[in-house]
Amino acid sequence: MLHLRVIASPEQSADVIDLLAAEPGVTHLVVLPGVARQPPGDLIQCDVVRESADRVLQELQRMGVDHTGGIAADDVELTVSAAADRAAERAPGSGADAVVWDEIAAKTGEQTELSGTYLVLIVVATMIAGIGVLLDQPILIVGAMVVGPEFGPLAALCVALLRRRWDVIGRSVLALTVGFIAAMAVTVLSTWALTAAGLVSREMLLAERPLTDFIWRPDALSWVVGLLAGVAGMLSLTSKKSGSLVGVLISVTTVPAAANVAVAAAYGVWDEAGGSALQLVINLCAIVLAGLLTLVVQQVWWWGLARRSRRPATG
């Protein structure tokens, strides 16, 4: 359930109240006339179940409330109310499957910023994975997956492609491109430094690495893993179940491949660097494709559910 705070101009207030009062998924409607000062207007508050939230937000924006007033939404962690239970029963669909598109766009849009923190995290993750590649240590590979922050820009790219937000697409691609290039460049330098210190060697890369050699040997399963990662990532995001485990699943196909590119390039093993680069490109494309298709299916599903819920009852 979401808690909405709406500032409506005096001219729009009555229409907004009528809209919210008529929506089956809205409850706990409160109207405070004239209390808003910036921008001036009435403060209208309510709780809306997630199944109805997207429709309500779209209608409010269609009325222009976002231009003349303002709309804010917060998650409600706990609601003890029979009225809220009735609202959830009347709303079509399941709250666990509900998609609030404005919420997703806002959440992913924040993760496209090419910040210092983002760059440090992706560089550190790639360096850790590079050491894991040389030592053939899956534990270090998993540790790098946990640190990797690239899930944010990838998710933002999928959402932006669906909504045709070209500015967000540009920022997402920039964050991914600069992030991986910077991470691989620093990992090349760190590999040279560790080699000079006698901690690692070219022979470690050329040795048999049965636990991590999949990273630079792309095959049909690379597409399968990337597609599954994209589906899981998008579902976790839209269902508000995203967490570190989802980042691990996404990173399993990206950060280790980038690290292997860097380490192999540092030692001049170009066939392995090429294989890792292909693995990285395949999985990035598969993740974005699967994520976009997952969002399309969810959108079509909720459109159909909304149309059926508006049909008059028969019998």
Side-chain angles (χ1 to χ4, degrees), residues 114-216:
L114 189 59
S115 64
T117 300
Y118 169 81
L119 288 174
V120 170
L121 286 175
I122 196 168
V123 166
V124 169
T126 307
M127 291 174 64
I128 293 173
I131 296 173
V133 163
L134 290 172
L135 297 178
D136 195 32
Q137 278 291 342
I139 293 176
L140 294 178
I141 299 295
V142 173
M145 296 172 191
V146 174
V147 177
E150 75 281 7
F151 171 63
L154 283 170
L157 179 58
C158 295
V159 175
L161 286 170
L162 180 67
R163 296 169 68 93
R164 294 187 292 277
R165 292 286 305 278
W166 308 115
D167 56 331
V168 179
I169 292 173
R171 292 201 304 271
S172 301
V173 172
L174 180 65
L176 290 168
T177 303
V178 174
F180 276 115
I181 290 176
M184 289 187 286
V186 174
T187 302
V188 168
L189 296 176
S190 68
T191 301
W192 288 341
L194 292 173
T195 303
L199 298 177
V200 297
S201 66
R202 190 173 189 270
E203 287 68 31
M204 296 172 68
L205 180 70
L206 298 177
E208 290 294 323
R209 293 180 285 125
L211 299 180
T212 57
D213 67 351
F214 72 94
I215 295 172
W216 64 278

XYZ file of all heavy atoms in Angstrom, residues 114-216:
764
model
N 26.507 9.027 -12.876
C 27.902 8.576 -12.926
C 28.654 9.219 -11.761
O 29.419 10.174 -11.924
C 28.524 8.962 -14.268
C 29.908 8.386 -14.586
C 29.870 6.871 -14.577
C 30.393 8.912 -15.922
N 28.435 8.686 -10.582
C 28.978 9.276 -9.354
C 30.310 8.637 -8.991
O 30.683 7.563 -9.500
C 27.989 9.081 -8.204
O 27.832 7.699 -7.925
N 31.002 9.289 -8.074
C 32.250 8.736 -7.586
C 32.063 7.409 -6.874
O 32.869 6.486 -7.025
N 30.985 7.299 -6.108
C 30.706 6.046 -5.398
C 30.496 4.899 -6.368
O 31.017 3.789 -6.176
C 29.465 6.216 -4.511
O 29.701 7.250 -3.558
C 29.144 4.919 -3.777
N 29.713 5.157 -7.421
C 29.467 4.123 -8.439
C 30.780 3.665 -9.072
O 31.030 2.457 -9.219
C 28.520 4.671 -9.498
C 28.404 3.798 -10.729
C 27.578 2.674 -10.733
C 29.118 4.104 -11.887
C 27.477 1.876 -11.868
C 29.020 3.314 -13.013
C 28.200 2.206 -13.006
O 28.096 1.417 -14.125
N 31.642 4.623 -9.439
C 32.903 4.266 -10.080
C 33.812 3.478 -9.144
O 34.442 2.491 -9.548
C 33.612 5.526 -10.568
C 32.988 6.216 -11.788
C 33.700 7.533 -12.086
C 33.033 5.308 -13.007
N 33.874 3.885 -7.894
C 34.714 3.170 -6.930
C 34.216 1.740 -6.748
O 35.006 0.781 -6.737
C 34.748 3.912 -5.583
C 35.404 3.040 -4.510
C 35.509 5.225 -5.715
N 32.910 1.573 -6.630
C 32.360 0.232 -6.413
C 32.623 -0.690 -7.597
O 33.020 -1.848 -7.416
C 30.859 0.322 -6.141
C 30.445 0.841 -4.772
C 28.930 0.987 -4.678
C 30.940 -0.097 -3.673
N 32.420 -0.196 -8.822
C 32.613 -1.075 -9.977
C 34.095 -1.357 -10.192
O 34.471 -2.467 -10.618
C 31.948 -0.482 -11.238
C 31.808 -1.566 -12.308
C 32.709 0.715 -11.778
C 30.923 -1.166 -13.464
N 34.960 -0.388 -9.886
C 36.407 -0.620 -9.985
C 36.843 -1.655 -8.957
O 37.576 -2.613 -9.273
C 37.185 0.700 -9.803
C 38.660 0.420 -9.549
C 37.019 1.586 -11.031
N 36.408 -1.494 -7.717
C 36.783 -2.437 -6.655
C 36.265 -3.833 -6.973
O 36.980 -4.837 -6.815
C 36.253 -1.945 -5.291
C 36.396 -3.034 -4.237
C 36.990 -0.684 -4.857
N 35.009 -3.923 -7.445
C 34.434 -5.226 -7.785
C 35.242 -5.906 -8.877
O 35.521 -7.116 -8.807
C 32.979 -5.043 -8.228
N 35.646 -5.160 -9.894
C 36.397 -5.747 -11.002
C 37.795 -6.156 -10.558
O 38.310 -7.207 -10.986
C 36.474 -4.750 -12.171
O 35.155 -4.312 -12.491
C 37.079 -5.401 -13.403
N 38.419 -5.380 -9.697
C 39.742 -5.755 -9.179
C 39.667 -7.041 -8.357
O 40.526 -7.916 -8.476
C 40.316 -4.607 -8.345
C 40.693 -3.379 -9.155
S 41.197 -1.981 -8.107
C 42.677 -2.653 -7.341
N 38.636 -7.150 -7.515
C 38.471 -8.372 -6.721
C 38.251 -9.572 -7.639
O 38.840 -10.646 -7.453
C 37.295 -8.220 -5.742
C 37.609 -7.168 -4.681
C 36.976 -9.559 -5.066
C 36.432 -6.831 -3.785
N 37.397 -9.384 -8.655
C 37.142 -10.474 -9.598
C 38.407 -10.840 -10.368
O 38.639 -12.014 -10.672
C 36.034 -10.075 -10.564
N 39.238 -9.830 -10.697
C 40.486 -10.116 -11.391
C 41.400 -11.015 -10.579
O 42.013 -11.952 -11.106
N 41.496 -10.759 -9.289
C 42.304 -11.621 -8.415
C 41.672 -13.007 -8.328
O 42.369 -14.035 -8.345
C 42.445 -10.984 -7.023
C 43.211 -9.665 -7.124
C 43.154 -11.937 -6.062
C 43.250 -8.875 -5.826
N 40.333 -13.045 -8.260
C 39.651 -14.329 -8.215
C 39.884 -15.154 -9.464
O 40.010 -16.385 -9.389
N 39.962 -14.486 -10.622
C 40.246 -15.192 -11.874
C 41.624 -15.831 -11.822
O 41.814 -17.007 -12.188
C 40.142 -14.212 -13.062
C 40.813 -14.788 -14.304
C 38.682 -13.890 -13.347
N 42.626 -15.080 -11.380
C 43.989 -15.600 -11.343
C 44.137 -16.738 -10.337
O 44.886 -17.695 -10.566
C 44.959 -14.471 -11.010
C 45.140 -13.419 -12.108
C 45.956 -12.246 -11.589
C 45.810 -14.031 -13.330
N 43.441 -16.640 -9.217
C 43.530 -17.676 -8.183
C 42.545 -18.810 -8.413
O 42.567 -19.804 -7.671
C 43.280 -17.058 -6.805
C 44.293 -16.013 -6.333
C 43.887 -15.460 -4.969
C 45.697 -16.609 -6.268
N 41.668 -18.662 -9.424
C 40.613 -19.646 -9.696
C 39.768 -19.879 -8.444
O 39.483 -21.006 -8.063
C 41.227 -20.974 -10.170
C 40.182 -21.894 -10.813
O 39.235 -21.371 -11.432
O 40.312 -23.130 -10.681
N 39.349 -18.755 -7.836
C 38.634 -18.794 -6.561
C 37.210 -18.273 -6.726
O 37.000 -17.062 -6.822
C 39.373 -17.963 -5.513
C 40.515 -18.680 -4.842
C 40.039 -19.803 -3.928
O 38.873 -19.848 -3.540
N 40.933 -20.718 -3.621
N 36.213 -19.146 -6.765
C 34.818 -18.696 -6.871
C 34.380 -17.803 -5.721
O 33.493 -16.962 -5.884
C 34.020 -20.004 -6.883
C 34.998 -21.048 -7.311
C 36.322 -20.606 -6.782
N 35.006 -17.974 -4.544
C 34.629 -17.144 -3.394
C 34.897 -15.675 -3.692
O 34.070 -14.798 -3.396
C 35.404 -17.587 -2.133
C 34.966 -18.993 -1.710
C 35.195 -16.596 -0.997
C 35.732 -19.544 -0.539
N 36.040 -15.387 -4.300
C 36.361 -14.006 -4.652
C 35.453 -13.501 -5.777
O 35.094 -12.322 -5.802
C 37.826 -13.889 -5.070
C 38.858 -14.154 -3.967
C 40.270 -14.048 -4.522
C 38.664 -13.179 -2.810
N 35.095 -14.378 -6.694
C 34.183 -13.994 -7.774
C 32.829 -13.590 -7.195
O 32.253 -12.560 -7.569
C 34.007 -15.138 -8.784
C 35.351 -15.493 -9.437
C 32.983 -14.770 -9.838
C 35.935 -14.388 -10.275
N 32.327 -14.385 -6.253
C 31.045 -14.059 -5.618
C 31.159 -12.757 -4.834
O 30.248 -11.919 -4.848
C 30.586 -15.212 -4.701
C 29.355 -14.807 -3.902
C 30.292 -16.457 -5.524
N 32.291 -12.565 -4.144
C 32.485 -11.307 -3.422
C 32.446 -10.111 -4.351
O 31.851 -9.071 -4.032
N 33.037 -10.253 -5.533
C 33.001 -9.170 -6.515
C 31.584 -8.921 -7.005
O 31.180 -7.774 -7.244
C 33.914 -9.512 -7.695
N 30.804 -9.992 -7.146
C 29.415 -9.844 -7.586
C 28.598 -9.034 -6.590
O 27.744 -8.226 -6.977
C 28.773 -11.227 -7.761
C 29.398 -12.082 -8.843
S 28.703 -13.750 -8.794
C 29.822 -14.601 -9.904
N 28.853 -9.249 -5.312
C 28.111 -8.519 -4.284
C 28.421 -7.028 -4.354
O 27.533 -6.181 -4.186
C 28.434 -9.081 -2.884
C 27.779 -8.235 -1.807
C 27.982 -10.525 -2.767
N 29.668 -6.692 -4.623
C 30.085 -5.291 -4.650
C 29.604 -4.579 -5.918
O 29.288 -3.391 -5.895
C 31.620 -5.203 -4.535
C 32.089 -3.754 -4.641
C 32.092 -5.799 -3.215
N 29.515 -5.303 -7.039
C 29.207 -4.682 -8.325
C 27.903 -3.898 -8.334
O 26.862 -4.428 -7.940
N 27.899 -2.641 -8.804
C 26.711 -1.781 -8.778
C 26.006 -1.642 -10.124
O 25.153 -0.787 -10.276
C 27.318 -0.430 -8.380
C 28.626 -0.418 -9.108
C 29.105 -1.857 -9.158
N 26.350 -2.467 -11.111
C 25.864 -2.225 -12.469
C 24.394 -2.591 -12.670
O 23.805 -2.245 -13.706
C 26.736 -2.980 -13.484
C 26.518 -4.478 -13.549
C 27.200 -5.227 -12.421
O 27.746 -4.593 -11.489
O 27.185 -6.462 -12.451
N 23.779 -3.243 -11.697
C 22.361 -3.585 -11.832
C 21.502 -2.328 -11.971
O 20.526 -2.310 -12.717
C 21.907 -4.409 -10.616
C 20.415 -4.631 -10.568
C 19.770 -5.340 -11.570
C 19.657 -4.130 -9.523
C 18.403 -5.548 -11.532
C 18.281 -4.326 -9.476
C 17.665 -5.048 -10.484
N 21.884 -1.262 -11.261
C 21.099 -0.025 -11.321
C 20.993 0.557 -12.717
O 19.885 0.742 -13.238
N 22.107 0.838 -13.392
C 22.017 1.367 -14.760
C 21.369 0.404 -15.740
O 20.682 0.838 -16.674
C 23.484 1.635 -15.120
C 24.177 1.809 -13.824
C 23.482 0.906 -12.863
N 21.578 -0.899 -15.566
C 20.945 -1.859 -16.464
C 19.424 -1.828 -16.320
O 18.683 -1.838 -17.312
C 21.471 -3.271 -16.177
C 22.858 -3.604 -16.719
C 23.354 -4.930 -16.150
C 22.842 -3.656 -18.242
N 18.946 -1.790 -15.078
C 17.498 -1.712 -14.851
C 16.939 -0.403 -15.381
O 15.870 -0.370 -16.002
C 17.204 -1.843 -13.352
N 17.663 0.693 -15.155
C 17.214 1.992 -15.656
C 17.136 1.998 -17.172
O 16.219 2.584 -17.761
C 18.158 3.088 -15.175
N 18.078 1.342 -17.833
C 18.074 1.279 -19.297
C 16.840 0.541 -19.798
O 16.195 0.968 -20.768
C 19.349 0.583 -19.777
C 19.509 0.415 -21.292
C 19.464 1.759 -21.993
C 20.816 -0.306 -21.600
N 16.470 -0.557 -19.148
C 15.278 -1.316 -19.555
C 14.012 -0.471 -19.412
O 13.176 -0.421 -20.321
C 15.156 -2.586 -18.719
S 16.486 -3.777 -18.968
N 13.869 0.184 -18.270
C 12.680 1.009 -18.028
C 12.637 2.186 -19.004
O 11.581 2.521 -19.558
C 12.666 1.514 -16.572
C 11.490 2.468 -16.341
C 12.583 0.338 -15.600
N 13.789 2.808 -19.246
C 13.839 3.965 -20.144
C 13.522 3.564 -21.578
O 12.875 4.324 -22.317
C 15.213 4.620 -20.064
N 13.957 2.401 -22.013
C 13.629 1.928 -23.359
C 12.130 1.731 -23.508
O 11.539 2.085 -24.543
C 14.368 0.622 -23.655
C 15.873 0.735 -23.930
C 16.517 -0.646 -23.950
C 16.119 1.456 -25.247
N 11.493 1.183 -22.478
C 10.049 0.968 -22.544
C 9.290 2.285 -22.586
O 8.327 2.437 -23.341
C 9.599 0.140 -21.333
C 8.100 -0.166 -21.253
C 7.688 -1.103 -22.386
C 7.737 -0.776 -19.908
N 9.733 3.259 -21.799
C 9.037 4.544 -21.701
C 9.581 5.588 -22.684
O 9.130 6.726 -22.675
C 9.145 5.075 -20.266
C 8.444 4.183 -19.250
C 8.789 4.586 -17.827
N 8.242 5.875 -17.476
C 7.065 6.066 -16.889
N 6.313 5.013 -16.595
N 6.640 7.276 -16.578
N 10.558 5.185 -23.497
C 11.163 6.064 -24.498
C 11.687 7.352 -23.864
O 11.466 8.445 -24.367
C 10.174 6.359 -25.631
C 9.838 5.128 -26.444
C 8.991 5.463 -27.647
N 7.657 5.904 -27.271
C 6.651 5.082 -26.991
N 6.841 3.774 -27.044
N 5.461 5.555 -26.653
N 12.423 7.180 -22.770
C 13.074 8.295 -22.089
C 14.518 8.373 -22.576
O 15.413 7.745 -22.018
C 13.011 8.094 -20.576
C 11.613 8.201 -19.975
C 11.163 9.653 -19.951
N 12.121 10.481 -19.259
C 12.172 10.609 -17.926
N 11.305 9.982 -17.159
N 13.084 11.395 -17.357
N 14.743 9.140 -23.621
C 16.050 9.151 -24.269
C 17.136 9.733 -23.367
O 18.306 9.319 -23.451
C 15.961 9.931 -25.574
C 14.844 9.444 -26.449
C 13.734 10.129 -26.822
C 14.704 8.134 -27.036
N 12.908 9.347 -27.605
C 13.481 8.123 -27.752
C 15.504 6.992 -27.025
C 13.042 7.007 -28.452
C 15.051 5.870 -27.720
C 13.839 5.885 -28.418
N 16.784 10.668 -22.505
C 17.785 11.229 -21.608
C 18.280 10.182 -20.611
O 19.476 10.083 -20.336
C 17.219 12.445 -20.878
C 15.935 12.122 -20.114
O 15.197 11.212 -20.540
O 15.676 12.783 -19.088
N 17.342 9.367 -20.091
C 17.729 8.312 -19.149
C 18.519 7.220 -19.870
O 19.475 6.662 -19.317
C 16.483 7.723 -18.460
C 16.882 6.603 -17.503
C 15.726 8.806 -17.705
N 18.126 6.909 -21.102
C 18.879 5.927 -21.884
C 20.325 6.379 -22.041
O 21.264 5.598 -21.852
C 18.222 5.729 -23.268
C 16.860 5.034 -23.128
C 19.137 4.916 -24.194
C 16.081 4.951 -24.421
N 20.507 7.655 -22.382
C 21.858 8.179 -22.552
C 22.672 8.102 -21.271
O 23.849 7.704 -21.289
N 22.044 8.471 -20.136
C 22.775 8.429 -18.863
C 23.119 6.994 -18.468
O 24.195 6.733 -17.922
C 21.954 9.100 -17.764
C 21.780 10.601 -17.933
C 21.421 11.264 -16.620
N 20.228 10.692 -16.013
C 18.990 11.109 -16.245
N 18.784 12.102 -17.096
N 17.960 10.546 -15.643
N 22.206 6.060 -18.729
C 22.455 4.657 -18.383
C 23.607 4.087 -19.196
O 24.506 3.423 -18.657
C 21.186 3.827 -18.617
O 20.105 4.309 -17.854
N 23.574 4.329 -20.500
C 24.641 3.824 -21.370
C 25.976 4.452 -20.983
O 27.018 3.774 -20.948
C 24.309 4.109 -22.849
C 25.496 3.773 -23.741
C 23.078 3.308 -23.282
N 25.960 5.738 -20.664
C 27.194 6.411 -20.249
C 27.743 5.805 -18.968
O 28.954 5.549 -18.851
C 26.931 7.904 -20.053
C 28.133 8.748 -19.622
C 29.194 8.763 -20.708
C 27.697 10.175 -19.273
N 26.863 5.569 -17.990
C 27.315 5.003 -16.715
C 27.906 3.611 -16.916
O 28.958 3.277 -16.339
C 26.149 4.946 -15.726
N 27.252 2.788 -17.729
C 27.759 1.439 -17.974
C 29.077 1.480 -18.742
O 30.040 0.781 -18.389
C 26.725 0.626 -18.753
C 25.467 0.237 -17.984
C 24.407 -0.302 -18.928
C 25.796 -0.802 -16.911
N 29.140 2.295 -19.792
C 30.340 2.342 -20.626
C 31.541 2.876 -19.857
O 32.606 2.247 -19.812
C 30.087 3.216 -21.871
O 28.961 2.699 -22.588
C 31.298 3.225 -22.774
N 31.371 4.044 -19.253
C 32.484 4.642 -18.504
C 32.859 3.761 -17.314
O 34.042 3.571 -17.018
C 32.106 6.057 -18.035
C 33.190 6.632 -17.126
C 31.890 6.973 -19.230
N 31.845 3.204 -16.643
C 32.123 2.373 -15.480
C 32.964 1.159 -15.825
O 33.989 0.881 -15.167
N 32.572 0.428 -16.861
C 33.322 -0.783 -17.211
C 34.701 -0.444 -17.786
O 35.676 -1.145 -17.503
C 32.522 -1.633 -18.204
C 31.514 -2.528 -17.540
C 30.157 -2.357 -17.750
C 31.926 -3.552 -16.691
C 29.228 -3.173 -17.131
C 31.006 -4.384 -16.071
C 29.652 -4.195 -16.294
N 34.790 0.615 -18.602
C 36.093 0.990 -19.151
C 37.046 1.396 -18.029
O 38.219 0.971 -17.994
C 35.936 2.124 -20.182
C 35.253 1.600 -21.448
C 37.297 2.721 -20.529
C 34.969 2.668 -22.478
N 36.574 2.223 -17.105
C 37.410 2.639 -15.983
C 37.816 1.440 -15.132
O 38.976 1.320 -14.704
C 36.674 3.673 -15.137
N 36.856 0.542 -14.874
C 37.146 -0.622 -14.038
C 38.183 -1.526 -14.688
O 39.115 -2.010 -14.014
C 35.851 -1.398 -13.786
N 38.056 -1.751 -15.987
C 39.016 -2.616 -16.673
C 40.395 -1.958 -16.751
O 41.424 -2.634 -16.602
C 38.497 -2.978 -18.060
C 37.315 -3.951 -18.015
S 36.796 -4.577 -19.635
C 35.958 -3.128 -20.298
N 40.430 -0.640 -16.971
C 41.715 0.058 -17.043
C 42.448 -0.023 -15.708
O 43.663 -0.314 -15.663
C 41.488 1.511 -17.453
N 41.745 0.230 -14.618
C 42.380 0.170 -13.292
C 42.804 -1.258 -12.974
O 43.865 -1.485 -12.365
C 41.421 0.721 -12.219
C 42.015 0.514 -10.830
C 41.144 2.197 -12.460
N 42.007 -2.245 -13.405
C 42.357 -3.642 -13.134
C 43.603 -4.055 -13.909
O 44.419 -4.840 -13.412
C 41.170 -4.564 -13.484
O 40.029 -4.167 -12.718
C 41.490 -6.019 -13.171
N 43.767 -3.547 -15.124
C 45.007 -3.788 -15.864
C 46.197 -3.254 -15.074
O 47.218 -3.937 -14.891
C 44.950 -3.138 -17.266
C 46.337 -3.143 -17.910
C 43.961 -3.872 -18.156
N 46.092 -2.025 -14.589
C 47.180 -1.415 -13.818
C 47.449 -2.187 -12.526
O 48.611 -2.408 -12.151
C 46.838 0.044 -13.507
C 46.710 0.978 -14.723
C 46.272 2.375 -14.266
C 48.026 1.053 -15.488
N 46.380 -2.597 -11.852
C 46.577 -3.328 -10.594
C 47.198 -4.692 -10.848
O 47.996 -5.179 -10.029
C 45.240 -3.475 -9.862
O 44.368 -4.337 -10.559
N 46.852 -5.305 -11.979
C 47.455 -6.597 -12.316
C 48.951 -6.438 -12.566
O 49.762 -7.262 -12.113
C 46.777 -7.198 -13.559
O 45.379 -7.369 -13.299
C 47.377 -8.551 -13.916
N 49.334 -5.389 -13.281
C 50.764 -5.124 -13.487
C 51.465 -4.874 -12.153
O 52.579 -5.359 -11.925
C 50.942 -3.915 -14.400
C 50.594 -4.184 -15.832
C 50.505 -5.400 -16.447
C 50.289 -3.201 -16.836
N 50.164 -5.255 -17.766
C 50.029 -3.916 -18.045
C 50.218 -1.817 -16.837
C 49.701 -3.268 -19.231
C 49.893 -1.160 -18.022
C 49.635 -1.875 -19.205
N 50.830 -4.126 -11.269
C 51.436 -3.820 -9.973
C 51.601 -5.083 -9.132
O 52.650 -5.296 -8.499
C 50.589 -2.792 -9.227
N 50.594 -5.938 -9.112
C 50.680 -7.181 -8.341
C 51.722 -8.120 -8.938
O 52.406 -8.847 -8.215
C 49.310 -7.863 -8.309
C 48.215 -7.151 -7.507
C 46.867 -7.829 -7.703
C 48.568 -7.103 -6.025
N 51.857 -8.099 -10.265
C 52.882 -8.921 -10.917
C 54.279 -8.431 -10.545
O 55.185 -9.225 -10.245
C 52.695 -8.882 -12.449
O 51.382 -9.327 -12.774
C 53.713 -9.788 -13.134
N 54.450 -7.113 -10.570
C 55.747 -6.546 -10.198
C 56.099 -6.865 -8.747
O 57.281 -7.039 -8.403
C 55.732 -5.035 -10.412
N 55.073 -6.962 -7.900
C 55.314 -7.284 -6.490
C 55.495 -8.775 -6.256
O 55.767 -9.201 -5.128
C 54.154 -6.767 -5.643
N 55.346 -9.581 -7.308
C 55.542 -11.020 -7.183
C 54.357 -11.763 -6.595
O 54.494 -12.928 -6.188
N 53.199 -11.120 -6.547
C 52.031 -11.759 -5.937
C 51.227 -12.584 -6.933
O 50.541 -13.537 -6.553
C 51.127 -10.683 -5.308
C 51.773 -9.871 -4.186
C 50.819 -8.796 -3.697
C 52.192 -10.785 -3.033
N 51.275 -12.217 -8.196
C 50.590 -12.967 -9.242
C 51.523 -13.063 -10.443
O 52.547 -12.368 -10.508
C 49.257 -12.296 -9.666
C 48.266 -12.245 -8.509
C 49.498 -10.895 -10.216
N 51.155 -13.926 -11.407
C 52.003 -14.089 -12.582
C 51.159 -14.500 -13.778
O 50.008 -14.931 -13.636
C 53.079 -15.154 -12.322
O 52.473 -16.430 -12.164
N 51.766 -14.379 -14.958
C 51.086 -14.764 -16.196
C 50.773 -16.257 -16.208
O 49.765 -16.678 -16.781
C 51.971 -14.390 -17.386
C 51.295 -14.511 -18.748
C 52.217 -13.952 -19.820
N 51.551 -13.843 -21.111
C 51.540 -14.820 -22.029
N 52.158 -15.966 -21.784
N 50.921 -14.630 -23.181
N 51.640 -17.053 -15.583
C 51.431 -18.498 -15.554
C 50.139 -18.864 -14.826
O 49.505 -19.879 -15.143
C 52.619 -19.178 -14.865
C 53.904 -19.214 -15.683
C 54.506 -17.837 -15.881
O 54.339 -16.981 -14.977
O 55.153 -17.608 -16.933
N 49.740 -18.052 -13.865
C 48.493 -18.321 -13.154
C 47.298 -18.198 -14.093
O 46.327 -18.937 -13.988
C 48.347 -17.356 -11.973
C 49.422 -17.527 -10.907
S 49.379 -16.237 -9.633
C 47.831 -16.619 -8.825
N 47.366 -17.238 -15.018
C 46.277 -17.068 -15.981
C 46.250 -18.210 -16.985
O 45.177 -18.678 -17.379
C 46.432 -15.729 -16.711
C 45.360 -15.412 -17.758
C 44.015 -15.127 -17.081
C 45.772 -14.216 -18.619
N 47.437 -18.680 -17.405
C 47.527 -19.717 -18.424
C 47.293 -21.117 -17.857
O 47.069 -22.064 -18.615
C 48.893 -19.658 -19.104
C 49.209 -18.353 -19.852
C 50.613 -18.383 -20.417
C 48.183 -18.100 -20.951
N 47.358 -21.250 -16.548
C 47.157 -22.562 -15.928
C 45.698 -23.002 -16.059
O 44.808 -22.219 -16.385
C 47.573 -22.503 -14.455
N 45.457 -24.270 -15.821
C 44.086 -24.786 -15.827
C 43.294 -24.123 -14.702
O 43.731 -24.094 -13.554
C 44.092 -26.299 -15.627
C 44.634 -27.082 -16.807
C 43.725 -26.957 -18.017
O 42.490 -26.925 -17.820
O 44.236 -26.887 -19.155
N 42.137 -23.578 -15.057
C 41.273 -22.920 -14.069
C 39.861 -23.472 -14.208
O 38.959 -22.811 -14.735
C 41.280 -21.401 -14.279
C 42.625 -20.755 -13.975
C 42.600 -19.249 -14.199
N 42.632 -18.917 -15.617
C 41.752 -18.154 -16.242
N 40.731 -17.646 -15.589
N 41.883 -17.901 -17.525
N 39.636 -24.687 -13.756
C 38.348 -25.349 -13.990
C 37.151 -24.662 -13.343
O 36.024 -24.813 -13.807
C 38.558 -26.754 -13.405
C 39.663 -26.576 -12.400
C 40.554 -25.530 -12.974
N 37.390 -23.883 -12.294
C 36.272 -23.268 -11.572
C 35.837 -21.934 -12.173
O 34.720 -21.470 -11.904
C 36.647 -23.074 -10.097
C 36.985 -24.355 -9.318
C 37.335 -24.025 -7.882
C 35.811 -25.335 -9.368
N 36.708 -21.306 -12.959
C 36.371 -19.978 -13.477
C 36.585 -19.835 -14.982
O 36.395 -18.741 -15.524
C 37.214 -18.894 -12.764
O 38.604 -19.185 -12.932
C 36.881 -18.833 -11.281
N 36.961 -20.894 -15.695
C 37.227 -20.727 -17.119
C 35.964 -20.482 -17.935
O 36.031 -20.063 -19.084
C 38.009 -21.913 -17.677
C 37.206 -23.213 -17.664
O 36.102 -23.227 -17.070
O 37.682 -24.199 -18.252
N 34.784 -20.722 -17.322
C 33.528 -20.425 -18.030
C 33.400 -18.935 -18.350
O 32.646 -18.549 -19.247
C 32.324 -20.856 -17.181
C 32.065 -19.985 -15.984
C 31.162 -18.930 -16.052
C 32.731 -20.209 -14.788
C 30.930 -18.111 -14.958
C 32.504 -19.396 -13.685
C 31.608 -18.346 -13.774
N 34.134 -18.108 -17.617
C 34.006 -16.654 -17.762
C 34.446 -16.199 -19.152
O 33.913 -15.223 -19.686
C 34.835 -15.942 -16.669
C 34.252 -16.243 -15.285
C 34.880 -14.437 -16.899
C 35.109 -15.743 -14.146
N 35.391 -16.896 -19.760
C 35.886 -16.445 -21.061
C 35.559 -17.426 -22.187
O 36.116 -17.323 -23.282
C 37.390 -16.183 -21.004
C 38.253 -17.395 -20.730
C 38.521 -17.957 -19.532
C 38.966 -18.161 -21.718
N 39.347 -19.044 -19.680
C 39.646 -19.189 -21.012
C 39.108 -18.094 -23.094
C 40.438 -20.137 -21.652
C 39.904 -19.039 -23.735
C 40.559 -20.039 -23.020
